[in-house]
């Protein structure tokens, strides 16, 4: 959902966009990953595009970092965020970050894409996936902590 393969065989990683993982070597398929993949593919497949670069041209995996402009002046990066198929990737600064954050805020508010279900569905699904990856000791520790939280034995920050 956030990486494209161009006709010239280059991979392009969309600047400022993160989508739920579909093909990841270390984690299972995440909530709304297939929808994000299909949206990106449907909007971009077979279309000519222009790349807009910013700062570093390649990421650590050798993918080209760019904003992808589709016909009719559509910025694919913005569309994914605006329509709720991804969220803003803030790990590395980029010039359109504030604009993308506002697009995500509106997308959540308008309950578009992954935010249709509820603003917390994606987060809860992520927690469940991480839990499933824990070993038995990790699951035991997680369950103990969760029990303390739900029984009021563990003060939450700001409630002490």
């Amino acid at each position: 959902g956030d990486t494209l393969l161009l006709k010239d065989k280059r991979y392009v990683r969309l600047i400022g966009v993160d989508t739920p993982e579909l093909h990841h070597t270390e984690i299972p398929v995440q909530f709304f990953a297939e929808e994000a993949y299909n949206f990106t593919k449907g909007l971009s497949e077979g279309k000519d595009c222009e790349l807009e670069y910013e700062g570093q041209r390649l990421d650590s995996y050798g993918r080209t970092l760019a904003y992808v402009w589709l016909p009719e002046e559509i910025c694919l990066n913005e569309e994914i965020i605006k329509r709720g198929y991804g969220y803003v990737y803030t790990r590395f600064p980029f010039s359109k970050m504030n604009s993308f954050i506002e697009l995500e805020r509106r997308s959540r508010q308008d309950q578009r894409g992954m935010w249709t279900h509820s603003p917390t569905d994606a987060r809860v699904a992520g927690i469940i996936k991480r839990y499933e990856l824990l070993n038995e000791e990790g699951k035991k520790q997680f369950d103990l902590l969760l029990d303390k939280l739900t029984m009021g034995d563990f003060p939450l920050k700001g409630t002490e």
Side-chain angles (χ1 to χ4, degrees):
D2 52 39
T3 304
L4 302 176
L5 176 61
L6 302 181
K7 289 179 186 176
D8 65 7
K9 305 297 182 203
R10 278 187 298 164
Y11 283 94
V12 175
R13 176 66 168 85
L14 302 174
I15 294 173
V17 177
D18 198 11
T19 59
E21 298 296 337
L22 183 61
H23 303 292
H24 196 285
T25 57
E26 298 173 11
I27 59 175
V29 173
Q30 293 180 322
F31 172 78
F32 221 73
E34 290 183 38
E35 292 87 344
Y37 169 81
N38 288 330
F39 175 78
T40 300
K41 183 178 179 181
L43 198 59
S44 62
E45 188 173 46
K47 295 183 181 171
D48 290 329
C49 67
E50 290 186 31
L51 303 181
E52 178 185 340
Y53 306 102
E54 180 175 301
Q56 189 174 330
R57 290 263 180 127
L58 297 176
D59 70 5
S60 59
Y61 300 102
R63 299 175 296 188
T64 300
L65 296 167
Y67 299 101
V68 174
W69 290 91
L70 301 171
E72 299 179 24
E73 298 185 25
I74 295 171
C75 179
L76 179 60
N77 311 50
E78 291 176 354
E79 286 298 308
I80 291 169
I81 302 291
K82 188 187 320 181
R83 306 248 195 120
Y85 289 95
Y87 25 89
V88 183
Y89 189 61
T90 59
R91 183 172 178 197
F92 303 103
F94 60 101
S95 66
K96 299 177 189 226
M97 185 181 293
N98 289 338
S99 170
F100 279 31
I101 288 171
E102 178 59 20
L103 289 173
E104 181 181 325
R105 186 194 66 73
R106 282 193 228 147
S107 178
R108 287 173 181 255
Q109 179 181 340
D110 296 342
Q111 297 184 339
R112 294 178 175 210
M114 75 173 90
W115 314 120
T116 298
H117 304 275
S118 97
T120 58
D121 280 352
R123 184 71 176 135
V124 169
I127 292 168
I128 292 168
K129 294 293 183 191
R130 283 175 148 173
Y131 179 83
E132 291 170 351
L133 294 173
L134 294 173
N135 62 25
E136 289 308 311
E137 180 60 25
K139 288 179 181 177
K140 181 179 175 183
Q141 293 299 317
F142 181 91
D143 290 339
L144 288 171
L145 179 61
L146 190 58
D147 286 345
K148 286 182 178 182
L149 285 170
T150 57
M151 298 175 96
D153 294 338
F154 189 88
L156 297 174
K157 187 175 181 179
T159 62
E160 300 170 62

